[in-house]
Every structure is written in C-alpha cells, then in structure tokens.
Amino acid sequence: MDIKKRDFLAGGAVIGAGLAAAAAATGAQAQPAGVPKATGRTMLDSKNYFGTASKGGGFKKSWARSLPQVSTADPNYKPRRVNKAIELWEDNQVVYYHVYAPSGAPDGYEEGKRMAQTYCDAINYEMENGCFDYANLRNFMQGLVDGGPTPSGHRTPMVFVTIPAPGYDGASMRANAWQIQQALAAGAHGVLVCEMHSPEAGEIAIAAARYKFTLPGVPQLPIGGLRGAGSQVYAAHIWGLSGSDYVGVADPWPLNPKGEISMGFKLENRHAAEYADELMAVPGLAFAEPGPSDMSYSMLGWDAVRPMSREERAKLLDNPRYQEALERIRLAAKKHNIMWLGTGPRGSSHNQSYDAGMRMIPGDNEKEVMAGREYAKRKMPA
C-alpha cells in the first residue's frame, strides 16, 4: 500500500471515530430525528399497567390446583383423546373452564406455563375483547406444553379461542374465516365464534375448521374445507403428533366421531334467537352459549346498561321477552345435542346446572368445581 492511500484510510478512520464519539456524547442515534429510542421495555414496565397478564394479576393463585382429587377419580386413568373436553363430554361430564384475556404484554409463554397447572379442564383464550395476537397465542400454547402434562395425562388443557369474526351473514364470515384457521394453526383445540346469527355463516365457520379433503366415513358437507397444507406443522407440534396423524384427527366433533376439534357459536342477540334451531342444526357444531349480557343489550337496550339497584336489575332481567329468547336457544341446543356453555337459572349451583344439562361451566371457584365433579362421579383426574 502506498503512503498516500494509507494516510487517506487512517484519516477516514479517525474521522469515523470522531463522529461516533460525538454521537455518543449527544445521545444521537443512527435514525431520523425525533424517533424514540428503542429500550426493549413493554407495558409491563409501566407503573400504570392495566391488564390480565402476569404483572396485572394474570394467572390467579386460586387457579392452581390445591385440593385433592375427587373420590371417584381413577388413579390409573389413561387419556383416550388429544382434546380433553370431548373426552369428558363423551363420558357425560362437565368441562370446567377459565378465561384468559391477553392484555398485549409479551408474556404468553409464561402465562401458558402457569395455566398448565390449572384445576380446570379448559381455557378460553379470549380474543374477542382481549388483545388480538396470534403470536402470543402460539407462545401461550408452547407454555402449556412445557408446563404440562395435566394430571389426567393430557398434553395440555383443552383451549378454545374466542374470536371477533362476526357471524352476521355468509359474506362477513367468509371475509373473516382466516381467524379460525389461524387459531387452529396455533394448536388450539377449538374456536368460539361470536355474534353468530346466520346459518350460512355457521356453515362457513365449520368449513374453516376443516381440511380440503373429507376423511373416510365422514359425511360430505355442501361447503368444502378451507384449511390448507402447512397449517398442520405448528399445531401438530403442540399436540405431540406427526403431521399426518394431526390432519387425520383435526376435524370437527361430533360430525367426525374421531375428530379433535370443538367448534362453538355464541348466540348473543335477538336475531340469533330467531335462528336458534337452524344454527344448532349446523353439522360440526359442538357447543354453544347464549351470551346473556349481550343478549340483554340487544333486547333490553339502554335499560340493560344504565345504573340501577340490584333489585331493579333482577326485575329487569325477568323480562319475559328476554327470558324466552334465552330459553329458545337452550331448548334448540338440547334438541340437537349441542353442549351448553353456561349455568342454569340465576342462583343455580353447579350440581343443579349439571342436572339441567349444562356441560361447560365457568370454574371460578375450585371448591365448587371439585364438589361438582364429586356429584357427577367423575373418573378423569383434574
């Protein structure tokens, strides 16, 4: 290298070092002026944090198992299925569930690990009003796997995802069917579709949970499946199956008796009540709920929301039109053998709800849950 070239490169290095030092001294970044400096911090670091992730409460201590198994539990129990909920339904047992609503904080993996030890059978991963984030759902599912298995021997609790895709009509459901496909591709065991009041939309939702082929012995449906090749890769990993084994069972139950997917509808407005019988007859539907709060908004209007005493509210909710709508949905579910999510009439105990045919009940109180399992003579450990 000649002297002139060497001196030029050395001078350039000195100038570069000087510029870097000046930038460091002034705190400047190699980015446009006014752009905030990335620190890697999240909403969890805010003193005003609000949400349901780990810093804000998240996995409640009361969700972790603390009581012994019921006296009827079989200590040698061996799971028959991937989907814990379907296995319980086949045994005429209640599926007790928790709701987890992601806040937007990036802690899905840790929340999954904690919730893997829940005393409940299922988890409603709530994305209708919780943060709509499929990356966090995948982290959550991996956390469940790493925190498991359950005492019953299942790899994870059953997980069903509530999505905001509206079931107003066929067009709206077709436009949002991808939400169902994404939830199942993340390894969820089912999806609960909100605001379902169109039978056509219901058929499309079921199609979104199925592959483009029909398994041998399973009825063909008018609308072909929408899931495609590749969607099985991560889901099979979460379920602990090979890709080919996954696609062989990733089909809605009870349409496919060997299927491991649980599809649900929320009938939560006055229009849904009108079409209750047609909706409950959609092949491939496993469970449903009436969405009593939203139904009251739809049928009772502002009266359902405005401030009032507890006595006034109880009187309001006894409105015959409102109660008849809820009963119409319940009877349609019973007619078509659809599993019912919710409880019995106001004030009903878990045992009374069980006797009334409820097979999917919120599990907010461990003592009540265990008492209900004892009453139903449940064999599957919790």
Side-chain angles (χ1 to χ4, degrees):
M1 182 183 295
D2 61 51
I3 299 297
K4 291 183 178 180
K5 186 173 183 180
R6 183 180 62 200
D7 290 345
F8 172 78
L9 292 175
V14 170
I15 293 172
L19 290 173
T26 61
Q29 299 293 311
Q31 57 188 26
V35 176
K37 180 181 178 181
T39 64
R41 295 166 69 82
T42 74
M43 61 195 290
L44 287 172
D45 297 302
S46 168
K47 65 180 181 180
N48 299 312
Y49 176 76
F50 175 82
T52 54
S54 57
K55 187 175 179 181
F59 182 78
K60 302 175 185 177
K61 290 182 179 178
S62 60
W63 287 1
R65 289 188 306 276
S66 64
L67 298 176
Q69 299 291 341
V70 297
S71 64
T72 54
D74 179 1
N76 300 311
Y77 191 90
K78 301 295 183 185
R80 307 187 304 269
R81 287 182 165 274
V82 170
N83 188 322
K84 191 174 181 180
I86 296 176
E87 193 166 329
L88 286 166
W89 289 332
E90 289 179 332
D91 292 339
N92 196 30
Q93 293 290 327
V94 170
V95 172
Y96 290 98
Y97 71 95
H98 283 313
V99 177
Y100 172 65
S103 64
D107 62 346
Y109 176 72
E110 291 300 327
E111 290 300 294
K113 285 182 70 175
R114 282 187 280 273
M115 291 197 76
Q117 296 304 311
T118 177
Y119 59 82
C120 276
D121 307 301
I123 298 167
N124 174 200
Y125 192 97
E126 210 290 311
M127 288 205 296
E128 179 192 15
N129 301 306
C131 184
F132 190 79
D133 185 346
Y134 284 104
N136 200 62
L137 173 60
R138 291 195 175 212
N139 277 281
F140 182 82
M141 296 302 299
Q142 184 65 64
L144 286 179
V145 172
D146 292 352
T150 69
S152 59
H154 291 87
R155 190 169 168 89
T156 69
M158 180 265 202
V159 176
F160 64 100
V161 179
T162 311
I163 59 172
Y168 302 147
D169 52 29
S172 59
M173 197 71 254
R174 282 190 183 279
N176 289 284
W178 62 271
Q179 296 181 25
I180 297 171
Q181 295 167 286
Q182 278 286 305
L184 297 179
H189 305 90
V191 175
L192 177 58
V193 185
C194 303
E195 299 292 347
M196 180 63 78
H197 61 245
S198 160
E200 180 189 8
E203 292 177 357
I204 294 168
I206 298 300
R210 308 190 74 200
Y211 279 100
K212 296 186 175 82
F213 55 83
T214 299
L215 291 158
V218 180
Q220 293 273 0
L221 295 181
I223 302 176
L226 302 178
R227 295 185 71 185
S231 63
Q232 76 274 26
V233 177
Y234 190 81
H237 159 71
I238 292 297
W239 285 18
L241 302 176
S242 67
S244 58
D245 285 343
Y246 175 86
V247 298
V249 295
D251 206 27
W253 176 92
L255 174 68
N256 181 346
K258 295 181 180 179
E260 298 284 359
I261 300 292
S262 305
M263 292 297 293
F265 296 163
K266 270 192 183 183
L267 285 70
E268 50 189 342
N269 58 57
R270 60 185 183 276
H271 307 294
E274 294 175 15
Y275 292 101
D277 190 68
E278 293 92 328
L279 286 166
M280 297 298 181
V282 172
L285 180 64
F287 68 98
E289 67 161 305
S293 296
D294 279 297
M295 183 67 78
S296 71
Y297 289 9
S298 176
M299 302 199 74
L300 305 177
W302 172 243
D303 282 344
V305 183
R306 65 180 177 82
M308 64 180 72
S309 69
R310 181 176 296 181
E311 292 74 18
E312 289 176 309
R313 188 164 302 283
K315 184 177 180 180
L316 175 71
L317 295 179
D318 283 334
N319 179 291
R321 182 164 163 261
Y322 170 68
Q323 290 296 331
E324 287 168 8
L326 296 179
E327 183 67 359
R328 181 173 181 174
I329 296 170
R330 187 188 72 82
L331 291 175
K334 183 177 180 180
K335 173 183 174 182
H336 295 284
N337 198 31
I338 300 301
M339 301 299 152
W340 191 244
L341 186 154
T343 56
R346 287 197 307 276
S348 296
S349 67
H350 283 191
N351 295 351
Q352 290 169 328
S353 296
Y354 175 82
D355 289 339
M358 311 304 175
R359 292 297 179 266
M360 210 165 188
I361 298 177
D364 298 327
N365 184 298
E366 185 182 8
K367 289 183 179 179
E368 292 180 359
V369 167
M370 299 309 285
R373 288 168 173 158
E374 190 79 50
Y375 181 78
K377 298 179 173 57
R378 171 168 157 157
K379 292 184 178 180
M380 183 193 293

